[in-house]
Protein backbone atom coordinates (compact mmCIF):
# COMPACT_ATOMS: atom_id res chain seq x y z
CA UNK A 1 0.00 0.00 0.00
CA UNK A 2 1.31 3.48 -0.94
CA UNK A 3 2.23 5.87 1.84
CA UNK A 4 -0.46 8.50 2.49
CA UNK A 5 2.28 10.99 3.37
CA UNK A 6 5.75 11.56 1.93
CA UNK A 7 8.82 12.26 4.02
CA UNK A 8 11.64 14.52 2.89
CA UNK A 9 13.71 11.51 1.84
CA UNK A 10 10.81 10.26 -0.30
CA UNK A 11 10.57 13.56 -2.16
CA UNK A 12 14.34 13.62 -2.61
CA UNK A 13 14.16 10.17 -4.17
CA UNK A 14 11.22 11.09 -6.42
CA UNK A 15 12.39 14.49 -7.67
CA UNK A 16 16.17 14.49 -7.29
CA UNK A 17 16.24 17.78 -5.41
CA UNK A 18 18.14 17.97 -2.13
CA UNK A 19 16.78 17.92 1.39
CA UNK A 20 18.43 21.29 1.93
CA UNK A 21 16.37 22.73 -0.94
CA UNK A 22 13.15 21.44 0.58
CA UNK A 23 14.08 22.88 3.95
CA UNK A 24 14.82 26.23 2.31
CA UNK A 25 11.51 26.24 0.45
CA UNK A 26 9.80 25.64 3.78
CA UNK A 27 11.71 28.47 5.45
CA UNK A 28 10.73 31.03 2.79
CA UNK A 29 7.12 29.75 2.76
CA UNK A 30 7.32 28.65 -0.88
CA UNK A 31 6.58 24.97 -0.33
CA UNK A 32 5.68 24.01 3.20
CA UNK A 33 5.02 20.52 4.59
CA UNK A 34 1.42 19.63 5.22
CA UNK A 35 2.27 17.94 8.52
CA UNK A 36 4.96 17.95 11.19
CA UNK A 37 5.61 14.94 13.44
CA UNK A 38 6.10 15.27 17.18
CA UNK A 39 9.84 15.11 16.51
CA UNK A 40 9.62 17.90 13.95
CA UNK A 41 9.97 15.79 10.80
CA UNK A 42 8.35 17.27 7.67
CA UNK A 43 5.64 15.27 5.93
CA UNK A 44 3.90 16.10 2.66
CA UNK A 45 0.63 14.93 1.18
CA UNK A 46 1.06 13.31 -2.23
CA UNK A 47 -1.35 15.87 -3.71
CA UNK A 48 1.16 18.62 -2.85
CA UNK A 49 3.64 17.15 -5.32
CA UNK A 50 1.90 18.96 -8.16
CA UNK A 51 2.73 22.29 -6.54
CA UNK A 52 6.37 21.27 -6.06
CA UNK A 53 6.66 20.13 -9.66
CA UNK A 54 5.20 23.45 -10.79
CA UNK A 55 7.82 25.27 -8.70
CA UNK A 56 10.60 23.19 -10.24
CA UNK A 57 9.20 23.77 -13.73
CA UNK A 58 9.09 27.55 -13.23
CA UNK A 59 12.59 27.49 -11.81
CA UNK A 60 13.81 25.76 -14.99
CA UNK A 61 12.16 28.58 -16.94
CA UNK A 62 14.56 30.92 -15.12
CA UNK A 63 12.06 32.60 -12.80
CA UNK A 64 13.41 33.67 -9.42
CA UNK A 65 11.93 32.11 -6.29
CA UNK A 66 10.28 35.44 -5.48
CA UNK A 67 8.70 35.51 -8.94
CA UNK A 68 7.58 31.90 -8.55
CA UNK A 69 5.88 32.67 -5.25
CA UNK A 70 3.98 35.53 -6.92
CA UNK A 71 3.04 33.40 -9.94
CA UNK A 72 1.60 30.64 -7.74
CA UNK A 73 -0.89 33.16 -6.33
CA UNK A 74 -2.31 33.91 -9.79
CA UNK A 75 -5.09 32.23 -11.70
CA UNK A 76 -4.19 29.67 -14.37
CA UNK A 77 -5.06 32.17 -17.10
CA UNK A 78 -2.86 34.85 -15.57
CA UNK A 79 -0.05 32.33 -15.27
CA UNK A 80 -0.35 31.51 -18.98
CA UNK A 81 0.05 35.16 -19.92
CA UNK A 82 3.25 35.42 -17.89
CA UNK A 83 4.58 32.20 -19.39
CA UNK A 84 3.96 33.49 -22.91
CA UNK A 85 6.09 36.56 -22.13
CA UNK A 86 8.76 34.34 -20.61
CA UNK A 87 8.78 32.25 -23.77
CA UNK A 88 9.65 35.36 -25.78
CA UNK A 89 12.40 36.23 -23.30
CA UNK A 90 13.88 32.74 -23.50
CA UNK A 91 13.67 32.80 -27.31
CA UNK A 92 15.67 36.02 -27.38
CA UNK A 93 18.16 34.51 -24.95
CA UNK A 94 18.46 31.42 -27.14
CA UNK A 95 19.27 33.57 -30.17
CA UNK A 96 21.79 35.51 -28.10
CA UNK A 97 23.49 32.28 -26.97
CA UNK A 98 23.63 31.05 -30.56
CA UNK A 99 25.37 34.30 -31.56
CA UNK A 100 27.83 33.87 -28.68
CA UNK A 101 28.55 30.27 -29.67
CA UNK A 102 29.24 31.27 -33.29
CA UNK A 103 31.53 34.09 -32.12
CA UNK A 104 33.32 31.71 -29.76
CA UNK A 105 33.93 29.18 -32.54
CA UNK A 106 35.22 31.94 -34.84
CA UNK A 107 37.54 33.29 -32.16
CA UNK A 108 38.92 29.84 -31.28
CA UNK A 109 39.47 29.27 -35.01
CA UNK A 110 41.70 32.35 -35.12
CA UNK A 111 39.33 35.09 -36.27
CA UNK A 112 40.21 38.53 -34.94
CA UNK A 113 37.95 39.87 -32.18
CA UNK A 114 37.18 43.00 -34.19
CA UNK A 115 35.38 40.85 -36.78
CA UNK A 116 33.18 39.05 -34.27
CA UNK A 117 29.49 39.93 -33.96
CA UNK A 118 29.56 39.26 -30.23
CA UNK A 119 27.89 42.56 -29.26
CA UNK A 120 25.18 42.50 -31.91
CA UNK A 121 21.72 42.83 -30.35
CA UNK A 122 23.35 43.76 -27.06
CA UNK A 123 23.37 46.87 -24.89
CA UNK A 124 27.13 46.93 -25.56
CA UNK A 125 28.04 48.55 -28.87
CA UNK A 126 29.54 46.36 -31.63
CA UNK A 127 33.34 46.44 -31.60
CA UNK A 128 33.65 48.27 -34.91
CA UNK A 129 31.32 50.94 -33.55
CA UNK A 130 33.39 51.12 -30.36
CA UNK A 131 36.53 51.67 -32.46
CA UNK A 132 34.76 54.39 -34.47
CA UNK A 133 33.69 56.13 -31.27
CA UNK A 134 37.20 55.83 -29.87
CA UNK A 135 38.67 57.34 -33.06
CA UNK A 136 36.21 60.22 -32.88
CA UNK A 137 37.10 60.78 -29.22
CA UNK A 138 40.83 60.99 -30.06
CA UNK A 139 40.81 62.62 -33.51
CA UNK A 140 37.34 64.14 -33.73
CA UNK A 141 38.49 67.76 -33.73
CA UNK A 142 41.10 67.31 -36.47
CA UNK A 143 40.40 68.40 -40.04
CA UNK A 144 41.48 64.99 -41.34
CA UNK A 145 38.94 63.12 -39.24
CA UNK A 146 36.17 65.53 -40.19
CA UNK A 147 37.12 65.05 -43.85
CA UNK A 148 37.00 61.28 -43.36
CA UNK A 149 33.50 61.46 -41.85
CA UNK A 150 32.20 63.79 -44.56
CA UNK A 151 33.45 61.43 -47.27
CA UNK A 152 32.00 58.41 -45.48
CA UNK A 153 28.58 60.07 -45.24
CA UNK A 154 28.39 60.41 -49.02
CA UNK A 155 28.83 56.68 -49.59
CA UNK A 156 26.10 54.06 -49.67
CA UNK A 157 26.39 50.94 -47.52
CA UNK A 158 27.42 48.91 -50.56
CA UNK A 159 30.09 51.47 -51.48
CA UNK A 160 31.46 51.47 -47.93
CA UNK A 161 31.59 47.69 -47.89
CA UNK A 162 33.32 47.66 -51.28
CA UNK A 163 35.98 50.13 -50.09
CA UNK A 164 36.68 48.20 -46.90
CA UNK A 165 36.84 44.88 -48.75
CA UNK A 166 39.29 46.45 -51.18
CA UNK A 167 41.48 47.50 -48.25
CA UNK A 168 41.24 44.05 -46.73
CA UNK A 169 42.28 42.45 -50.02
CA UNK A 170 45.40 44.64 -50.10
CA UNK A 171 46.37 43.49 -46.62
CA UNK A 172 45.97 39.87 -47.72
CA UNK A 173 48.22 40.46 -50.72
CA UNK A 174 50.87 42.14 -48.57
CA UNK A 175 50.71 39.23 -46.12
CA UNK A 176 51.71 36.82 -48.89
CA UNK A 177 54.94 38.83 -49.29
CA UNK A 178 55.82 38.88 -45.60
CA UNK A 179 59.06 36.94 -46.21
CA UNK A 180 60.33 39.62 -48.60
CA UNK A 181 62.07 42.84 -47.67
CA UNK A 182 59.49 45.53 -46.71
CA UNK A 183 61.27 47.87 -49.14
CA UNK A 184 60.89 45.51 -52.12
CA UNK A 185 59.17 46.78 -55.23
CA UNK A 186 56.14 44.49 -54.93
CA UNK A 187 55.54 45.33 -51.27
CA UNK A 188 55.89 49.06 -51.90
CA UNK A 189 53.52 48.84 -54.88
CA UNK A 190 50.86 47.40 -52.57
CA UNK A 191 51.58 50.04 -49.90
CA UNK A 192 50.97 52.65 -52.61
CA UNK A 193 47.61 50.99 -53.36
CA UNK A 194 46.82 51.02 -49.64
CA UNK A 195 47.61 54.75 -49.50
CA UNK A 196 45.42 55.43 -52.55
CA UNK A 197 42.52 53.69 -50.80
CA UNK A 198 43.02 55.90 -47.76
CA UNK A 199 43.16 58.97 -49.97
CA UNK A 200 39.60 58.23 -51.06
CA UNK A 201 38.55 59.06 -47.50
CA UNK A 202 41.04 61.69 -46.34
CA UNK A 203 44.16 63.64 -47.13
CA UNK A 204 47.14 61.52 -46.08
CA UNK A 205 50.26 63.48 -45.19
CA UNK A 206 53.41 61.97 -43.67
CA UNK A 207 52.31 62.75 -40.13
CA UNK A 208 49.01 60.92 -40.53
CA UNK A 209 50.60 57.92 -42.27
CA UNK A 210 53.17 57.68 -39.46
CA UNK A 211 50.38 57.79 -36.88
CA UNK A 212 48.50 55.01 -38.69
CA UNK A 213 51.66 52.89 -39.01
CA UNK A 214 52.40 53.23 -35.28
CA UNK A 215 48.81 52.30 -34.45
CA UNK A 216 49.11 49.15 -36.56
CA UNK A 217 52.32 48.20 -34.72
CA UNK A 218 51.67 49.22 -31.13
CA UNK A 219 47.90 48.89 -30.62
CA UNK A 220 47.30 45.29 -29.54
CA UNK A 221 43.89 45.17 -31.21
CA UNK A 222 45.31 46.15 -34.59
CA UNK A 223 48.23 43.74 -34.14
CA UNK A 224 45.78 40.91 -33.51
CA UNK A 225 43.71 41.97 -36.51
CA UNK A 226 46.65 42.03 -38.93
CA UNK A 227 48.30 38.92 -37.57
CA UNK A 228 45.28 36.88 -38.61
CA UNK A 229 46.46 37.35 -42.22
CA UNK A 230 49.89 35.88 -41.57
CA UNK A 231 52.21 34.95 -38.73
CA UNK A 232 52.65 37.08 -35.64
CA UNK A 233 55.24 39.45 -37.22
CA UNK A 234 52.91 40.78 -39.94
CA UNK A 235 51.95 43.92 -37.99
CA UNK A 236 55.68 44.75 -37.62
CA UNK A 237 56.23 44.02 -41.30
CA UNK A 238 53.38 46.33 -42.28
CA UNK A 239 54.75 49.08 -40.03
CA UNK A 240 58.21 48.77 -41.62
CA UNK A 241 56.75 48.82 -45.14
CA UNK A 242 54.70 51.98 -44.46
CA UNK A 243 57.63 53.74 -42.79
CA UNK A 244 59.87 52.92 -45.77
CA UNK A 245 57.26 54.43 -48.07
CA UNK A 246 57.21 57.60 -45.97
CA UNK A 247 60.99 57.97 -45.67
CA UNK A 248 62.12 57.00 -49.16
Amino acid sequence: MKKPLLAVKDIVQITGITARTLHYYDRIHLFKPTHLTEKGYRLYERSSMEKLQTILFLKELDFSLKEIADILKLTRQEQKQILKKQRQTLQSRKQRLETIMVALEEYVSGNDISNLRIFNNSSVLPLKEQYANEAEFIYGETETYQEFNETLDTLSLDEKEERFQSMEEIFKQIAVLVDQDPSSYEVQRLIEEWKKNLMQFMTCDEELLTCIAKTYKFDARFRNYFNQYSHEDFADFLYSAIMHHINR
Side-chain angles (χ1 to χ4, degrees):
M1 182 178 176
K2 294 182 180 179
K3 296 180 180 179
L5 298 173
L6 299 173
V8 169
K9 66 177 182 179
D10 298 323
I11 295 181
V12 168
Q13 184 176 356
I14 292 170
T15 64
I17 66 174
T18 65
R20 177 178 293 182
T21 298
L22 273 178
H23 295 166
Y24 181 67
Y25 287 177
D26 178 13
R27 190 162 68 251
I28 64 174
H29 305 287
L30 181 63
F31 182 66
K32 298 188 69 65
T34 49
H35 302 278
L36 286 175
T37 68
E38 291 181 358
K39 293 184 177 181
Y41 293 120
R42 297 170 175 85
L43 296 174
Y44 301 81
E45 292 182 0
R46 288 204 305 273
S47 60
S48 67
M49 285 297 295
E50 181 180 355
K51 180 180 180 181
L52 177 59
Q53 288 162 348
T54 300
I55 291 171
L56 298 177
F57 170 63
L58 293 173
K59 192 168 183 295
E60 286 298 308
L61 294 181
D62 219 19
F63 287 106
S64 69
L65 295 180
K66 173 65 171 61
E67 289 171 330
I68 292 172
D70 292 337
I71 291 172
L72 292 176
K73 298 173 184 177
L74 302 176
T75 66
R76 182 61 62 91
Q77 189 60 36
E78 290 171 328
Q79 290 178 2
K80 285 182 178 180
Q81 292 302 315
I82 290 178
L83 292 180
K84 285 180 181 179
K85 291 181 181 179
Q86 185 70 355
R87 183 182 184 281
Q88 294 174 347
T89 299
L90 294 177
Q91 184 65 35
S92 298
R93 193 172 302 166
K94 175 187 175 184
Q95 293 171 352
R96 174 71 181 143
L97 287 173
E98 287 174 349
T99 299
I100 291 173
M101 290 302 297
V102 169
L104 176 59
E105 289 299 323
E106 290 177 350
Y107 187 72
V108 170
S109 299
N111 204 344
D112 182 68
I113 192 171
S114 64
N115 290 326
L116 304 182
R117 293 172 295 171
I118 188 66
F119 297 125
N120 290 15
N121 301 317
S122 165
S123 59
V124 179
L125 294 176
L127 284 170
K128 288 184 178 180
E129 200 169 327
Q130 291 184 36
Y131 293 162
N133 289 341
E134 181 180 2
E136 183 174 6
F137 179 76
I138 298 172
Y139 304 112
E141 295 182 358
T142 66
E143 291 183 7
T144 299
Y145 187 84
Q146 291 170 11
E147 180 185 354
F148 168 76
N149 262 346
E150 289 171 3
T151 303
L152 210 57
D153 287 341
T154 65
L155 301 178
S156 67
L157 289 176
D158 289 340
E159 288 173 326
K160 290 177 186 177
E161 186 65 26
E162 183 181 348
R163 299 280 178 90
F164 288 128
Q165 284 181 354
S166 175
M167 189 76 79
E168 189 174 50
E169 185 58 35
I170 293 172
F171 290 137
K172 289 179 180 178
Q173 292 179 40
I174 297 174
V176 173
L177 305 175
V178 74
D179 293 325
Q180 294 189 19
D181 191 298
S183 63
S184 69
Y185 170 79
E186 190 60 28
V187 172
Q188 287 302 306
R189 183 185 66 80
L190 290 170
I191 291 297
E192 187 65 40
E193 282 192 38
W194 165 80
K195 179 180 175 181
K196 287 179 181 177
N197 268 269
L198 283 179
M199 292 286 287
Q200 296 177 24
F201 294 101
M202 66 189 87
T203 303
C204 295
D205 55 18
E206 291 185 1
E207 182 181 2
L208 179 62
L209 291 176
T210 301
C211 178
I212 292 173
K214 288 181 178 179
T215 301
Y216 288 176
K217 178 179 174 68
F218 297 110
D219 190 309
R221 293 165 300 181
F222 281 95
R223 289 186 66 88
N224 291 334
Y225 171 76
F226 287 120
N227 288 339
Q228 72 178 319
Y229 295 117
S230 184
H231 56 68
E232 60 184 14
D233 295 329
F234 181 53
D236 290 332
F237 180 86
L238 195 56
Y239 168 80
S240 299
I242 296 171
M243 294 307 297
H244 177 81
H245 174 83
I246 294 171
N247 296 322
R248 66 183 179 178

